[in-house]
Amino acid sequence: LLLSDILASEGKAAESLAMLKEATGHLQQGLEAESTNRLARFECARAWLELGIRSRENGDAAEALAALDKLPLVLNTKELGADLLNEERFALARGKFQRALAQRDSGRFEESVATLIEAAQEMGQLVMGTSPRNQDQALALAETYTVLAEVIGTHFGTADAKEAHNQAVPILLELSRLHPEWAEVKYLLARNYGAIGSLDRDAGNSSEASKKTQDAIEFINEVLADNKENARYTFLLAKLRGEYAEMIADMGKAKDAVPIARQAVSALESLLGTDAAARLTPERKSWEMQLAQLYGVLGHSSETAGQKDLAKSSFTSAAAHWEKLAAANAADETVQQGLIWTKNRLEKLK
């Protein structure tokens, strides 16, 4: 497992995954000889969890789910002959969280929400039951609520999404108070504030939406100051800038929105690079979709500002990007909606 981690840190993803699969198989075989060895069981469960995470990140949702299915088989009271320890129970809850992500990536959104709720409930019982609270586990709980809110907000309803965000934010604010330099805490705060801003915008509360999005941008800028090469943080800043540009364009400040949207597009183009053959993992797909949306924001802002040529070129880039994504997954409803919207905007510009 350690060698797999080292290979992953060196960017050798394929070699690392192969090593992890081999190590996990050996650990599973070892349990047959030492079925009551608690440490061996926990190490084997950790390996299956890591394999599930890596497989999902690599775009293999089915393989991820198969790996995650092993966790409750390895960590069970019958085999151990005793109740599960809190650490073991939390590992199972983490497994449910990863299962929910794989379900989300497969378009099974209702299942994902149900699994996320289960994971949050189980994590919450463990986190609230420790004194002092385990802060790493509290962060995992906040992330679970964050993802739950994002899935609900994107595919279901605003009210329930806000409720989940309101579960995540107080945990993150307390962690930020205790550890002001904890980058992941500020990153998750930025994600929550940005998502709440979008929900406020959709509800017609443009002033509050703008303020929340500006707060989110401030948080992620603080994080990026010390983590300039972090791709997730860079992506989030570009996404938030695009959302802010769209907001102020719709508030009558289109000329101010154009340079902000340009900046967001440029940052995300640089992040994605020029490798057209890059594997379309769930993360990369979300980045590619966001870039298509940012082209659309730039097109909308520049058209509103009277910059017709820039609007036309931006919508053309958006259409080309949506078409590329549609070719990879024609059944994706969000991609099809983006493509239709963009083509309609282009048609009106002619």
Side-chain angles (χ1 to χ4, degrees):
L1 291 180
L2 179 60
L3 181 55
S4 173
D5 290 341
I6 292 171
L7 289 170
S9 69
E10 294 174 350
K12 299 175 181 176
E15 296 94 324
S16 172
L17 185 58
M19 181 68 68
L20 178 59
K21 287 179 179 178
E22 184 179 348
T24 304
H26 289 320
L27 287 167
Q28 185 67 44
Q29 290 172 6
L31 286 185
E32 296 176 8
E34 296 184 275
S35 62
T36 59
N37 185 321
R38 189 160 214 148
L39 288 177
R41 283 199 168 274
F42 189 72
E43 188 68 6
C44 184
R46 192 179 76 84
W48 282 117
L49 176 59
E50 185 63 23
L51 182 57
I53 293 171
R54 299 266 198 94
S55 297
R56 184 193 66 78
E57 290 175 345
N58 198 42
D60 294 322
E63 188 170 299
L65 290 168
L68 296 168
D69 281 342
K70 299 290 186 179
L71 261 73
L73 300 178
V74 173
L75 292 177
N76 70 80
T77 54
K78 182 179 179 181
E79 294 293 341
L80 286 168
D83 291 338
L84 295 179
L85 302 175
N86 282 356
E87 186 179 29
E88 294 163 340
R89 291 170 61 196
F90 205 88
L92 290 176
R94 284 182 185 273
K96 285 190 176 180
F97 172 67
Q98 290 297 327
R99 167 176 286 281
L101 296 184
Q103 290 166 336
R104 178 202 63 186
D105 295 344
S106 303
R108 294 154 55 185
F109 302 116
E110 289 186 6
E111 291 178 56
S112 179
V113 167
T115 307
L116 284 165
I117 290 171
E118 285 183 23
Q121 289 172 339
E122 291 170 15
M123 287 182 185
Q125 290 172 359
L126 293 166
V127 170
M128 302 308 172
T130 56
S131 183
R133 293 179 182 177
N134 184 315
Q135 290 162 11
D136 288 324
Q137 291 186 355
L139 182 67
L141 173 60
E143 183 181 11
T144 302
Y145 276 125
T146 301
V147 175
L148 174 61
E150 290 169 344
V151 175
I152 292 173
T154 303
H155 301 285
F156 300 102
T158 300
D160 289 339
K162 271 205 165 183
E163 183 179 341
H165 283 302
N166 289 336
Q167 295 290 333
V169 169
I171 298 170
L172 294 168
L173 288 174
E174 176 64 10
L175 289 174
S176 182
R177 185 187 68 80
L178 294 169
H179 301 283
E181 304 305 316
W182 197 349
E184 279 297 300
V185 171
K186 289 184 178 178
Y187 164 72
L188 283 175
L189 274 170
R191 267 175 68 180
N192 276 277
Y193 279 13
I196 292 169
S198 293
L199 293 172
D200 285 338
R201 177 202 61 204
D202 294 344
N205 193 346
S206 57
S207 177
E208 188 62 29
S210 174
K211 183 180 181 301
K212 271 287 187 287
T213 307
Q214 285 177 295
D215 288 344
I217 290 171
E218 183 178 340
F219 274 124
I220 202 63
N221 269 324
E222 288 177 12
V223 173
L224 273 166
D226 297 319
N227 300 272
K228 292 182 175 62
E229 303 304 315
N230 188 295
R232 287 184 303 124
Y233 300 166
T234 301
F235 166 75
L236 182 58
L237 178 58
K239 178 177 182 290
L240 290 169
R241 279 178 172 159
E243 289 170 351
Y244 183 65
E246 185 177 11
M247 287 176 193
I248 64 173
D250 291 341
M251 293 167 68
K253 301 176 182 178
K255 287 186 178 179
D256 294 332
V258 170
I260 299 172
R262 276 185 183 274
Q263 191 178 22
V265 166
S266 177
L268 199 43
E269 284 177 336
S270 297
L271 183 61
L272 284 164
T274 57
D275 186 3
R279 183 180 175 86
L280 197 64
T281 62
E283 181 176 63
R284 187 175 180 90
K285 180 185 175 183
S286 73
W287 292 1
E288 295 275 9
M289 290 173 67
Q290 189 62 49
L291 180 55
Q293 290 170 353
L294 288 176
Y295 282 133
V297 170
L298 181 55
H300 171 71
S301 301
S302 53
E303 182 183 6
T304 307
Q307 301 175 33
K308 188 174 180 180
D309 289 343
L310 177 57
K312 189 175 290 186
S313 65
S314 299
F315 283 132
T316 299
S317 295
H321 226 70
W322 285 123
E323 284 170 350
K324 183 178 77 170
L325 287 164
N329 188 355
D332 192 307
E333 188 177 333
T334 302
V335 171
Q336 292 299 330
Q337 288 174 347
L339 181 57
I340 292 168
W341 180 86
T342 303
K343 286 184 173 180
N344 287 339
R345 293 298 295 265
L346 266 175
E347 187 66 30
K348 290 177 182 178
L349 276 171
K350 289 181 180 178

